[in-house]
Amino acid sequence: MSMTTAKPIVRSAPDMRKQKALLKGAFYVGGTLLVLIWLIPVVIAVFTAGKSMAELMSSPFMWTPPRQWTLENFRSAWTNAGMARYMMNSFIITIPSVLGTLAISSLGAYALAFYQFKLNRAILIVFVSGMLIPFQMLMIPVFRFSDAMGLMNTYRGVTLFHVAFQLGFCVYFLRNFMRTLPFSLIEATRMDGASEFTIYLRIIMPLAIPSIAALGVLQFTWIWNDLLWSIVLLNANRVMTITQGLANMQGQFITNYAIIAAGSILAALPPLVVFLFFQRFFISGLTVGAEKG
Amino acid sequence: MKTGTPKHTWNHQTLAPWFFLAIPLLMYMTWVIVPIIQSMFFSLTDRDSILFQRQFVGLGNFIRLATDPTFHLALQNNLFWMISFVLVPIPVGLAIAMFFNQDYPGARWFKTAFFIPMTLSYAVIGTIWAWIYQPDFGALNTLLRSVGLDTLARQWLGDRRYMTGALIVVGIWRQVPYVMILYVAGLKNVPSELIEASMIDWASWWQRFTNVVLPMLRPATVVAVTISIIDSLRAFDIIYVMTNTKARAAEVLASYMYSSAFTFQDYGYGSAIAVIQFLITLGFILIYVNNTLKSEEKL
Amino acid sequence: MKKVLTLILAVLVAASVFAGGGQQASGQQELIINSYMSDQAPKEAFEALVADFESKNPTIKVTVNTTAHEQFKTLLPNWLTSRQAPDVVTWFAGYRMQAFAQRGQLEPISRAFPGNTFQDSFPEAFVRASSFNNEIYFLPQSWYWWAVYYNTEVFDNLGLEIPKTWDDFLAVSEVMKQNGIAPIAIGARDTWTAGGWFDYLNSAINGMDFHVQLTSGQVPYTDPRVQKTFETFADLQTRGYIMPNATSYSWQEAATLLFNGQAGMYLMGQFIKDVAPAEVRDKIDFFHFPSFGLPGYAVDTPIDGFMVPANARNKDAAMKFMAYLATPEAQALFTVPLGRLAANKNVPPPNDDARRGLEMVLGAEGAMQFYDRDAPEEMAARGMDALLEAMQNPGRIPQILATLDQDRVRIHRD
């Protein structure tokens, strides 16, 4: 065979249309199947959460949808297992963490994107490496530092940690975005006598809003889903997050799968909603570096 | 080339970046960089080094690691994780990305739905998958039995021979959507005529795919492979949630580090494991950084 | 819409900034207790106890933080070194407590017990298990025994007698197996359930002295006597006496099989009754682990209780709580509903079971605390995992033990 690419093939119009329709059908059928198969675990969780205890016991096969849907499990998880409190805590920690990360990382990103100075490259590498390290390395020192500073069991303590820890990724991400903005824009404003901070706040930040939104959505999911750092930094029930609550719940309701499934779904809901609403941002946030050619 | 900096603002600008960097750098130093250095220091001290006066043992912990069977197994398991995370999610993610990369109305929603596993926390994922693996009424074994493959039904998480494999499958389940999204982004740069499937001319399509499309996807592939490798080396949450790090058979570096330092209070030893893990990861981190910075210089 | 969102954000930010403190405002004192009692029955019994304490000490407000058992064990060492340590924590007597006392992380509780009140309240062995260097650091609350729990209905239906020797035990198991009942339940997803088997088999086969030497790290795990212990356990699996898929079940799930008669016997601590539904509680009885022909026998009798971290912030209230916990009334309040033995010797055993349990313990040649309390925790964790691996892979026992001994050398290095 020669190395020429696709030879033009002459075909009649109805033939082509038929093939197109077939392809389209195959896409929808195949896509639906693929998604269904991939989401089986999620579907099972929903089915389990919807079953009454009696039904769960009489037929423990998790494949089948409930004969009668019930919301009872969600109610028990919410009130008896204390999910309401844990959910509140998770919001109290996640939202300021996300806002803090965005604000602080944009400062660093701005500096690394627009100024030429000796340590620019080195600092960037420090931020990037920090984001990729095996984070378990930090556990003992961070625990001891937080303890010494009186930050244990406080929302502040976890929030500050999340902000600091996420800086690596966020600075890198925002800096890459800011590099794509025209440098001349800044020069022009600077000539007009604007201060450096004004340039950052009035010129760059408004332009960076799409990428900041992307980052925000991504950060929300990550911080919300964190379990490890909550375990390390929070041990009083009144401040525990929802992922911790879920882990505790498994000890308490060990054989009651329905309540645990309901709790899991509750815990998964906020990041899922955020993702569905802002999916465009979310995806562009995750694909840094994959698009450039 | 960058626009030259006007001379009269030079002084002003050497200070400015530090003004912007002050807070982020300070926070990063406090919570990330200094702790890493501390961990490296702890790795040279004996257990209880934090509780009592620090006892310097030099490379003692590393020498002990050399003959520790659990450490060897953890390394081996990590390698297994790494190979699986490259061999499975990359081609599968690419294939699914190609499949979903169509202009049909609603195609976006398939991608969205497929992506849901990435938004779930490991606490949730672990709970759900434990039910799938449950040997008596779990989904996997009931499926196998219903199609007559009873002999294949196993204790997926209970049997020490299959534990790591079962955990890797969960990891892959979550990684494939990630890789898919990376390729979906990469495919934006590839003209759609090049990938449009032809039902008749499969051979020439395949040839075009390997000779033209794959090279165009190189940046996406590099990111997907390095991210997958780094993720496989950091695997911890799944193991922690699904096995509570109690079985030697499931141990990887991260979980062994956690149990040594936290459960068994041997900070020095745990830190030594972390340092090894860091050194292994460092190579891939450098590839990643180098790659992204290089692609930027080309612009 | 935008305004509402901004408002919500502002409120949440403000809440997170100000909610951090949580100090008690008025003259009330707060006593913080971190507890591992996450199972329903002990949790409720403890709540009742705390309520009683609060009613007797109206100036003290108690906050109980419950953490799942496994996480608790991992986190306790960190809490103890923490500057914001809880005021009281639940824990185990003996070696595991003394390790903390040695590091200076515990507050002596003697001042809560003027004169000889402590020594007068508790048996001498308990005083010893609660002390380190002649100081008392531990308040023993309850203790219990490990034994073979069995479903009396299963035994009656099959006309079985309680086995006295290992051969009897195998014979009983065989009958159950023939009748489609799993002879031995074990929820080995919780690896510690294997610890009971290790303790009882090893001490019954090789004697108490050998068992003590082994758990204190003086004998290699490659010793043929240890191999015998491992092989005996693996043999139960080979014969098909251990419930199917045992390593996929938590200890509570496996207990359910015993309760509903799908399984016959379960080597477990007395706390198995905590999870038994009321209607089956009376059908579950226990007998002592069968004999391998040695003259004496050993029993697992862990002692549970409380300690005060050296960094506790409210030591006065903690001491009041300690003094209260030692009283016969307080001890009975917790142990009676759970059927455990009170550590205070002036509290009679709450029921027949407990009387028999007590007799069994008093007749023993030696008492063990439990594998993970007699040996360093890491060693015990490896040992229990190895026992389960041996069960799944009987052919590899020599290699498994060789690996285990490498752990012993590393862990017992100093």
Side-chain angles (χ1 to χ4, degrees), chain B residues 208-244:
Chain B
R208 195 172 54 208
F209 174 74
T210 49
N211 292 335
V212 184
V213 178
L214 268 189
M216 289 181 86
L217 286 172
R218 214 189 94 87
T221 308
V222 173
V223 173
V225 170
T226 37
I227 292 275
S228 291
I229 289 176
I230 291 167
D231 281 351
S232 77
L233 283 166
R234 294 204 293 186
F236 171 76
D237 304 50
I238 297 177
I239 300 159
Y240 177 83
V241 172
M242 296 186 79
T243 73
N244 209 357

Side-chain angles (χ1 to χ4, degrees), chain C residues 121-123 126 140-143 303 331 335 341-346:
Chain C
S121 305
F122 302 105
F126 285 27
Q141 183 188 34
S142 68
W143 61 294
I303 307 166
Q331 297 239 318
T335 52
L341 292 160
N344 190 314
K345 57 190 173 193
N346 302 318

Side-chain angles (χ1 to χ4, degrees), chain A residues 228-239:
Chain A
L228 190 70
W229 296 106
S230 312
I231 290 180
V232 173
L233 298 175
L234 305 170
N235 57 58
N237 287 27
R238 77 190 147 77
V239 287

Side-chain angles (χ1 to χ4, degrees), chain C residues 181-302:
Chain C
I181 291 166
I184 299 165
I186 174 171
R189 197 176 85 182
D190 296 317
T191 45
W192 55 262
T193 53
W197 279 98
F198 175 81
D199 284 347
Y200 275 105
L201 275 178
N202 195 47
S203 62
I205 294 173
N206 302 314
M208 183 67 187
D209 290 342
F210 177 78
H211 185 72
V212 170
Q213 285 175 359
L214 181 65
T215 50
S216 56
Q218 295 158 27
V219 187
Y221 277 85
T222 43
D223 190 293
R225 286 170 287 185
V226 184
Q227 184 162 345
K228 176 93 197 302
T229 301
F230 273 62
E231 280 166 355
T232 311
F233 185 64
D235 180 52
L236 292 173
Q237 169 81 4
T238 317
R239 288 169 187 258
Y241 294 166
I242 291 180
M243 64 180 250
N245 302 328
T247 44
S248 296
Y249 285 88
S250 67
W251 76 270
Q252 294 102 322
E253 290 169 307
T256 314
L257 299 187
L258 178 76
F259 299 150
N260 62 26
Q262 286 169 274
M265 303 177 280
Y266 197 166
L267 179 62
M268 190 37 74
Q270 181 275 341
F271 53 85
I272 191 175
K273 290 252 181 161
D274 294 355
V275 296
E279 64 274 17
V280 297
R281 205 165 285 159
D282 294 332
K283 290 195 309 197
I284 304 301
D285 202 353
F286 66 92
F287 57 81
H288 181 254
F289 196 79
S291 159
F292 281 76
L294 293 181
Y297 65 88
V299 273
D300 261 332
T301 58

Side-chain angles (χ1 to χ4, degrees), chain B residues 46 97 286 291 294:
Chain B
D46 202 1
L286 291 179
N291 181 71
K294 221 193 243 163

Side-chain angles (χ1 to χ4, degrees), chain A residues 28 38 137 190 250 279 291, chain B residues 13 39 105 112 127 173 189:
Chain A
Y28 283 110
W38 212 262
M137 256 184 124
R190 190 172 283 145
Q250 283 169 351
Q279 44 166 320
E291 266 178 79
Chain B
Q13 283 192 42
S39 263
T112 304
T127 312
W173 177 72
N189 299 342

